[in-house]
Amino acid sequence: MKYSLSTISLAVLFSFSANAFAAKELPARLAGHVILPGDTKVEAPSDAPNDLKVNGKFHEAKRTDKLGAIEGKSNGRPTGINFPFEGQPVQGHSGIVNMQDGTFWILTDNGLGNKLNSSDSALFFRHYKIDFDKDQWEALETVFLKDPNKVIPFRITHEDTKERYLTGSDFDPESIQVIGDNFWIGEEFGPYLLKLDRQGNVQAVFDTLLDGKVISSPDRPGMILPGAPDGKLPAFQAKRSKGFEGMAASPDGSKLYPLLEGALWDADKAQYEQHDGKSALRIFEFDVKAEKYTGKTWLYPMEDAKHSIGDFNMIDDTYGLIIERDDTEGTQDKACKDGQDKTQCFDQPANFKRVYKIKLDPSKEAAEKIAYIDLMSIQDPNKKAKRDLVDGKFVFPFFTIENVDFVGDDFIIVGNDNNYPKSSSREPNKADDNELILLDVKELREAK
């Protein structure tokens, strides 16, 4: 086949243009590593219902009261932990916010994975003092979510109690911000934006609005199936477990930027939202003082439609950090070999785990991906790793990585969601711990 000079020139130009604007990979160096054991638990408040003293009773199709009767599994592999168990596990770290004083608020998500199996999982977040130099991870305070003033407009699990503690069947909290005396939480079931006071009492519940219309998921309270198999299903735009996952705040605290985990369904086009041919997620802008959405949104283009985001926090007024990852877990050195029992090895080792630096330009429709670091290829020049290196690199091979924030200077903090007792991403048959890593990302910080 013959090609003309003009054809070749256009091909070269197209290739250059595509590569010129592609996000570039930049190095990351491990500067600290702290571990909170996965089996860490807290007691439910003394005035909470007895139902919250044991966790995991409703994981199966039928209620299970016997402690330890259910075997925890991760993709079919036993994790070595059985439940139900007494206490509430400090698991599912799904959002982090840096308080600029060596302390961090970290959010625990809805429990055992979905609305149906998490009604005895209490919702809470904790205040930690973290010292990477001294390898210390100290819990300072635990704040449980509750609704004593009956602000929530729908029935909750513990409706007929005084304090009305919230559970994983009521909300699925995935991101957190602290602004003034209030906590703000982005959640997935509605999806909703929640405002809470310093004691964890719900102050307001905000619907998600796009072009003046409410965005819903199939887990939104009030969703009613038709009375016949051939009836019309209710309309919703967000997939299950694809509501608000990350939520950044502007440095001055005037704006919140909740980000969906999955692309919205566009009924008019009969397809999920895209940008330049890529699946794209919505970033919303919420005015904190006015307590309403501004109407401004951005699209965040995914590298693959099957990917998810883990967390979102701003570096300054313009640039932010977003975790984008696939659904794989485990390290290559423990990958399954031909004929090996897949319950004892990683069938699909971790592949795509990145932190992107993005730019939010108010005049643009989409966020711009500037550069990224690969969490599967972290340098460890000062030997900070508390887990074995793989081919000379420190890796963060977790199924869900849901915490990232800018710490200051050239450093960011990243943490996993260990889905206790149902994730084993370091060892094929050992439940994961909660890990936080401090990364020196000077080149990413300076990228424009």
Side-chain angles (χ1 to χ4, degrees):
M1 184 180 291
K2 294 183 179 180
Y3 297 91
S4 67
L5 180 61
S6 60
T7 301
I8 295 173
S9 298
L10 284 172
V12 171
L13 178 61
F14 177 80
S15 176
F16 172 78
S17 299
N19 292 329
F21 295 101
K24 54 190 175 184
E25 181 179 351
L26 295 174
R29 293 165 290 274
L30 190 64
H33 186 194
V34 293
I35 298 173
L36 182 68
D39 61 359
T40 302
K41 299 180 180 71
V42 296
E43 292 184 1
S46 59
D47 56 356
N50 288 333
D51 185 42
L52 295 181
K53 293 182 180 180
V54 174
N55 181 260
K57 300 185 294 295
F58 303 98
H59 184 270
E60 306 296 286
K62 293 183 178 180
R63 179 192 182 105
T64 306
D65 285 306
K66 183 180 178 181
L67 297 180
I70 304 169
E71 183 178 50
K73 292 184 178 181
S74 178
N75 194 29
R77 304 185 313 274
T79 65
I81 302 296
N82 286 27
F83 62 100
F85 39 62
E86 294 181 342
Q88 295 290 331
V90 182
Q91 57 79 24
H93 286 172
S94 61
I96 189 169
V97 58
N98 176 23
M99 297 306 294
Q100 309 295 332
D101 59 359
T103 70
F104 299 81
W105 285 98
I106 300 180
L107 177 67
T108 291
D109 69 12
N110 84 310
L112 291 166
N114 62 59
K115 193 181 184 80
L116 294 178
N117 66 13
S118 300
S119 61
D120 59 6
S121 296
L123 302 185
F124 60 91
F125 44 86
R126 305 186 89 195
H127 195 195
Y128 292 98
K129 181 178 181 181
I130 298 170
D131 191 325
F132 284 99
D133 292 329
K134 296 181 180 179
D135 297 331
Q136 292 180 349
W137 184 324
E138 178 186 0
L140 303 176
E141 182 182 3
T142 303
V143 177
F144 286 85
L145 278 63
K146 53 188 184 298
D147 183 35
N149 299 315
K150 298 185 178 180
V151 174
I152 297 171
F154 53 83
R155 185 179 181 87
I156 64 172
T157 302
H158 296 298
E159 179 71 30
D160 193 25
T161 62
K162 180 181 178 181
E163 295 298 332
R164 291 165 50 87
Y165 284 98
L166 299 178
T167 75
S169 286
D170 304 320
F171 293 108
D172 184 4
E174 296 287 353
S175 45
I176 185 169
Q177 292 293 337
V178 183
I179 299 177
D181 295 326
N182 295 111
F183 294 96
W184 293 82
I185 288 177
E187 82 88 46
E188 289 203 300
F189 287 162
Y192 297 114
L193 190 58
L194 308 179
K195 179 184 179 183
L196 303 98
D197 66 15
R198 184 63 180 74
Q199 289 71 45
N201 300 307
V202 176
Q203 301 293 294
V205 179
F206 298 95
D207 287 322
T208 301
L209 300 177
L210 179 62
D211 297 330
K213 298 179 181 178
V214 174
I215 298 298
S216 299
S217 89
D219 285 323
R220 180 183 175 87
M223 278 285 177
I224 301 175
L225 292 175
D230 59 347
K232 184 179 180 180
L233 291 171
F236 56 92
Q237 302 75 34
K239 290 182 180 180
R240 170 166 288 133
S241 193
K242 296 297 179 181
F244 287 142
E245 181 70 30
M247 182 170 65
S250 60
D252 65 0
S254 65
K255 300 291 192 301
L256 291 169
Y257 303 111
L259 167 61
L260 295 171
E261 187 177 11
L264 293 175
W265 176 252
D266 187 328
D268 293 334
K269 296 181 180 179
Q271 66 179 31
Y272 289 100
E273 289 192 321
Q274 297 182 352
H275 178 74
D276 286 345
K278 289 186 175 182
S279 177
L281 316 182
R282 285 277 177 174
I283 302 173
F284 294 77
E285 184 179 68
F286 185 88
D287 187 307
V288 174
K289 184 177 181 180
E291 295 194 349
K292 66 180 182 178
Y293 288 95
T294 67
K296 172 61 184 172
T297 67
W298 293 265
L299 291 170
Y300 172 80
M302 304 286 278
E303 296 306 300
D304 190 295
K306 295 180 180 179
H307 288 177
S308 300
I309 69 99
D311 200 11
F312 176 28
N313 262 308
M314 297 298 289
I315 298 172
D316 53 33
D317 287 323
T318 303
Y319 294 96
L321 301 166
I322 291 178
I323 297 171
E324 183 176 337
R325 51 88 181 171
D326 62 14
D327 288 344
T328 56
E329 66 177 344
T331 54
Q332 287 288 346
D333 59 321
K334 298 179 180 68
C336 293
K337 304 194 172 43
D338 290 343
Q340 187 175 358
D341 180 359
K342 292 182 180 180
T343 67
Q344 306 296 312
C345 56
F346 293 120
D347 185 27
Q348 293 181 306
N351 181 30
F352 193 104
K353 313 290 180 181
R354 295 179 179 180
V355 176
Y356 278 92
K357 181 178 183 179
I358 60 105
K359 181 179 181 180
L360 288 185
D361 184 336
S363 68
K364 299 291 181 63
E365 178 188 25
E368 179 185 355
K369 287 180 169 177
I370 303 297
Y372 69 89
I373 58 167
D374 184 356
L375 295 175
M376 296 300 297
S377 182
I378 299 170
Q379 301 171 20
D380 186 22
N382 298 314
K383 298 183 175 164
K384 295 289 187 177
K386 291 184 171 57
R387 294 289 185 259
D388 292 339
L389 303 185
V390 179
D391 294 331
K393 296 293 180 66
F394 176 77
V395 299
F396 215 56
F398 298 100
F399 170 57
T400 43
I401 305 172
E402 299 194 0
N403 307 273
V404 66
D405 202 358
F406 178 60
V407 177
D409 296 327
D410 298 323
F411 298 93
I412 65 172
I413 191 170
V414 177
N416 68 310
D417 172 353
N418 71 336
N419 298 305
Y420 188 85
K422 300 195 298 179
S423 272
S424 54
S425 302
R426 286 248 181 240
E427 298 291 337
N429 302 113
K430 182 181 179 181
D432 289 326
D433 296 317
N434 297 290
E435 299 187 25
L436 285 176
I437 53 176
L438 184 69
L439 298 178
D440 179 349
V441 292
K442 176 179 173 60
E443 293 82 357
L444 187 74
R445 175 75 172 91
E446 296 175 346
K448 302 293 184 184

